[in-house]
Amino acid sequence: MTTPIDFYFDFSSPYGYFAAMRIDALAEKYGRRVTWHPLLLGVVFKATGAVPLTNVPVKGEYALRDFARTARLHGIEYRHPETFPRPTQAAARAMLWIAAAHGDAKAHDFARAVYRAYFVDGVDISDPAQVANIAAGFDIDGAELAEAINSPDVKDHLKTEIDLAMARGVFGSPFVIIDREPFWGFDRFDQIEAMLKNGSI
Amino acid sequence: MTTPIDFYFDFSSPYGYFAAMRIDALAEKYGRRVTWHPLLLGVVFKATGAVPLTNVPVKGEYALRDFARTARLHGIEYRHPETFPRPTQAAARAMLWIAAAHGDAKAHDFARAVYRAYFVDGVDISDPAQVANIAAGFDIDGAELAEAINSPDVKDHLKTEIDLAMARGVFGSPFVIIDREPFWGFDRFDQIEAMLKNGSI
């Protein structure tokens, strides 16, 4: 009996996008399921004093190059959005509500569609109307979703998720925890696979 | 006709240590040579506002775990030093002087020995006497080395190296540049190998 893998991410994180495109298939290969936890890096970064990578002098230019190169090497479509990063409250709350109301499978499909909308089609995913539009592709009622995004319950749910993530030591995106072992970054997916394969690392 | 690969590192950087243990063999596999550039991350970090990874709340604890895990996965001996990081002026100047006075091969051997002294045996590599002691293992005269470490010429050489590195966009350790393509981190060695293999990336 194995517990699910925990996958933490922000919808505005390029490496989170790459991870989202791969993690379910990787886990399934080793008979594991994945619990997806959308979070807001802005809140998390306050705890560590971090700033968005692309805002750092010199390192920011390198990051742009690394996003594109990593996507290319992994065969993932990528166009760096003109506005970056974007606030992701609407998308994160929408996903939590979809998982609760429509199940995890639909929530994961929705999350991948949000990522593609932002990192391939340049959609403004900070706009609740655009988020509802993406959800409509999965037969999710737009009015219900709009109400959910603004409901105190769903807002509290996201806050609680972020508090729990920080209590577990999560400080970036993507962040994966497998049986208490933490992995930060899409570039740790080889270590994640070794962990899944061998049961320890 | 190929130009050498440029390898930038700080002697107090764990990921720099892992890179130093692998880069010559990796380059040689693809018929390339490596120019080693010791630098002082403290100087470089001033340009980007970065701080040593282990000083960052939450992230620091993860980093310690990642150093040990990465070493284990790559079969590299590693004991996190009790005092970390250490100033590395003495080691960096010594290496530059050894390369000029005794050739690159000896300088690379010396550099790997400095890294092992710090990250396996816990030697205080900020101490010029300890640096001279390591150099003695390669038949390098201790008095000559001590004089070199304090000479204005060698000090200027290191300053110039750091200025040139920053002008090329170097902001961390390890940092590798192959035919103008930059790679930051030991976790980019798979991309480095792809670049060496295919000539582009």
Side-chain angles (χ1 to χ4, degrees):
Chain A
M1 176 66 193
T2 57
T3 51
I5 292 169
D6 288 302
F7 168 45
Y8 300 87
F9 60 96
D10 183 300
F11 279 112
S12 198
S13 156
Y15 300 121
Y17 162 51
F18 305 150
M21 294 295 135
R22 295 289 179 261
I23 193 146
D24 278 348
L26 179 61
E28 202 181 336
K29 189 173 160 189
Y30 297 96
R32 299 288 287 262
R33 286 186 312 110
V34 183
T35 304
W36 289 42
H37 304 274
L39 44 80
L40 307 179
L41 271 192
V43 178
V44 175
F45 278 6
K46 277 182 193 152
T48 57
V51 294
L53 202 51
T54 49
N55 293 3
V56 180
V58 192
K59 202 184 273 194
E61 293 148 48
Y62 174 84
L64 291 179
R65 183 190 280 256
D66 192 64
F67 298 157
R69 192 167 64 190
T70 301
R72 208 158 57 235
L73 284 167
H74 288 270
I76 298 169
E77 211 175 344
Y78 186 83
R79 270 186 236 129
H80 191 69
E82 280 186 35
T83 303
F84 178 87
R86 289 268 194 199
T88 55
Q89 284 90 336
R93 287 182 202 150
M95 190 194 171
L96 290 178
W97 175 75
I98 291 169
H102 298 276
D104 281 337
K106 195 164 270 196
H108 295 196
D109 286 340
F110 165 78
R112 281 183 288 258
V114 170
Y115 264 131
R116 270 192 303 265
Y118 185 45
F119 287 114
V120 178
D121 302 321
V123 170
D124 176 5
I125 58 162
S126 70
D127 178 0
Q130 295 288 354
V131 170
N133 189 41
I134 296 164
F138 302 96
D139 295 325
I140 291 161
D141 185 80
E144 273 188 64
L145 185 79
E147 198 186 309
I149 286 175
N150 289 310
S151 85
D153 278 3
V154 176
K155 288 181 182 178
D156 281 352
H157 187 176
L158 179 57
K159 275 184 203 150
T160 305
E161 279 278 353
I162 295 170
D163 286 346
L164 285 171
M166 291 200 294
R168 296 190 74 189
V170 173
F171 58 80
S173 166
F175 203 100
V176 173
I177 302 180
I178 305 174
D179 309 332
R180 309 178 70 96
E181 186 80 21
F183 300 89
W184 172 44
F186 184 56
D187 47 26
R188 290 297 178 277
F189 265 48
D190 54 343
Q191 297 194 2
I192 286 174
E193 177 145 23
M195 173 81 189
L196 290 170
K197 197 172 181 176
N198 307 319
S200 67
I201 197 162
Chain B
M1 178 65 192
T2 57
T3 50
I5 292 168
D6 288 301
F7 168 46
Y8 301 87
F9 61 95
D10 183 300
F11 278 113
S12 197
S13 156
Y15 300 121
Y17 162 51
F18 305 150
M21 294 295 136
R22 294 289 179 262
I23 193 144
D24 278 349
L26 179 60
E28 202 181 338
K29 189 173 160 188
Y30 297 95
R32 299 288 289 262
R33 286 187 311 112
V34 184
T35 305
W36 290 41
H37 304 274
L39 44 79
L40 307 179
L41 271 192
V43 177
V44 174
F45 278 6
K46 275 182 196 154
T48 57
V51 295
L53 202 51
T54 48
N55 293 2
V56 181
V58 192
K59 202 183 274 194
E61 293 148 48
Y62 174 83
L64 291 178
R65 183 192 280 257
D66 193 63
F67 297 157
R69 193 167 63 190
T70 301
R72 208 159 56 236
L73 284 167
H74 288 270
I76 298 170
E77 210 175 345
Y78 186 82
R79 271 186 235 129
H80 192 69
E82 280 187 35
T83 302
F84 177 86
R86 289 269 194 201
T88 55
Q89 284 90 337
R93 288 183 201 149
M95 190 194 171
L96 289 178
W97 175 76
I98 291 169
H102 297 276
D104 280 338
K106 194 165 271 196
H108 295 195
D109 286 342
F110 165 79
R112 282 184 286 258
V114 170
Y115 264 132
R116 272 192 301 264
Y118 185 45
F119 286 113
V120 178
D121 302 321
V123 170
D124 177 5
I125 58 161
S126 69
D127 178 0
Q130 296 287 354
V131 171
N133 189 40
I134 296 164
F138 301 96
D139 295 324
I140 291 160
D141 185 81
E144 273 187 65
L145 184 80
E147 199 185 310
I149 287 175
N150 289 311
S151 85
D153 278 3
V154 176
K155 288 181 182 178
D156 281 350
H157 187 177
L158 179 57
K159 275 183 205 152
T160 305
E161 279 278 354
I162 295 170
D163 286 345
L164 285 171
M166 292 200 295
R168 296 192 73 190
V170 172
F171 58 81
S173 166
F175 203 101
V176 172
I177 302 179
I178 305 175
D179 308 334
R180 308 177 71 94
E181 185 79 21
F183 300 89
W184 172 44
F186 184 57
D187 46 27
R188 289 296 177 278
F189 265 48
D190 53 344
Q191 297 195 3
I192 287 174
E193 177 145 24
M195 172 81 189
L196 289 172
K197 197 171 179 175
N198 306 320
S200 66
I201 197 162

